[in-house]
Amino acid sequence: MSTSGAFDLFAAAFPNEMVPDVIQFILAEWPNVKPPAGKPLENRITSRLAGHLSNAMREYDRPQFRFTCRPKIADAESDTETGELDIQVSSFSPHPDAFLVVECKRLNIETDSGFQSRAGEYVGNDGMGCFISGQYDCGGNVGVMLGYVMTRTIAGAIESIDRLLGSDYRSLRMAQPFRLADSTLVPNQPCVKETTHTLSRNQRFTIVHAFVSFAAIEGALTKVHD
């Protein structure tokens, strides 16, 4: 795996120049993930993915990332947690905020009652909203959304999200364009998009959106069994 930068051992945030390496690593390893059986929920898929990424990273002479599945977010003012991250990607910096957050959501789900795009959950308070509200504040100005496209196409999932962003851009504090734009951090990848948001004190925050097809890992497993 090539890298576009070097870790600063004293960095106070995950280096933006390393975000493309994380995205490319996830995309490259996704077809090798062993899928859970049946119609799995997000947590089961994410557990398999994080475990696979950790194992794959161990094969490198110089492991670059640590993938932690669902770490709790501590609340300094109470005896409970305020939530949990889906995947925390850590650098080698000892600073507690030097990590990248990956929020995972299922999209395009076939249920007994019919098809659900789940775009609302993706852009809502428990999806993109976690970055906008500050719940996932980790010191940096980049976060990652990972969409598990369960059925149909990635292009269709992106279209469903774009329709909602066109009307919800104010609550998400989005900068133009009010849609999933081609990524500047990870260019030339049709399944990777980007949105820009203005947070408190006019701070700019970028969400990189990566989409993977669940059928890709189901198909890979079928070929192994054939």
Side-chain angles (χ1 to χ4, degrees), residues 45-55 67-69 86-87:
I45 302 171
T46 301
S47 294
R48 293 289 182 100
L49 173 61
H52 175 85
L53 294 174
S54 295
N55 288 339
F67 296 90
T68 305
C69 188
D86 282 342
I87 299 177

Side-chain angles (χ1 to χ4, degrees), residues 20 22 26 29 54 57 89 98 100 111 115 124 133 201 222:
V22 175
I26 291 173
E29 290 298 330
S54 295
M57 185 55 60
V89 187
L100 178 71
T111 69
F115 174 76
S133 67
R201 298 186 298 277
T222 300

Side-chain angles (χ1 to χ4, degrees), residues 57-211:
M57 185 55 60
R58 292 189 186 101
E59 297 178 4
Y60 290 92
D61 292 334
R62 294 184 178 181
Q64 297 164 341
F65 309 122
R66 293 189 297 269
F67 296 90
T68 305
C69 188
R70 292 194 297 279
K72 301 292 186 181
I73 304 174
D75 188 339
E77 299 180 0
S78 71
D79 298 329
T80 60
E81 294 86 17
T82 60
E84 64 182 19
L85 312 176
D86 282 342
I87 299 177
Q88 175 181 298
V89 187
S90 301
S91 70
F92 291 113
S93 170
H95 195 284
D97 288 338
F99 61 86
L100 178 71
V101 177
V102 180
E103 171 66 19
C104 306
K105 283 284 179 277
R106 292 187 306 163
L107 296 163
N108 288 8
I109 300 171
E110 297 286 356
T111 69
D112 293 338
S113 58
F115 174 76
Q116 298 178 2
S117 74
R118 294 291 180 96
E121 287 83 352
Y122 185 95
V123 306
N125 292 336
D126 293 329
M128 293 174 64
C130 290
F131 294 104
I132 309 307
S133 67
Q135 180 181 351
Y136 285 176
D137 184 11
C138 59
N141 62 351
V142 176
V144 176
M145 291 289 299
L146 180 61
Y148 304 134
V149 182
M150 305 300 290
T151 63
R152 304 191 183 185
T153 66
I154 289 176
I158 291 174
E159 289 177 5
S160 296
I161 294 170
D162 275 344
R163 283 194 291 269
L164 287 183
L165 293 180
S167 58
D168 293 349
Y169 65 90
R170 290 185 180 87
S171 61
L172 291 168
R173 304 177 192 173
M174 285 183 64
Q176 291 185 331
F178 305 131
R179 59 178 176 80
L180 296 173
D182 292 340
S183 178
T184 58
L185 279 172
V186 189
N188 304 318
Q189 284 279 6
C191 63
V192 182
K193 300 295 182 180
E194 198 169 288
T195 53
T196 304
H197 309 259
T198 303
L199 305 186
S200 59
R201 298 186 298 277
N202 291 322
Q203 176 190 5
R204 287 287 180 132
F205 189 88
T206 298
I207 300 179
V208 179
H209 304 258
F211 300 92

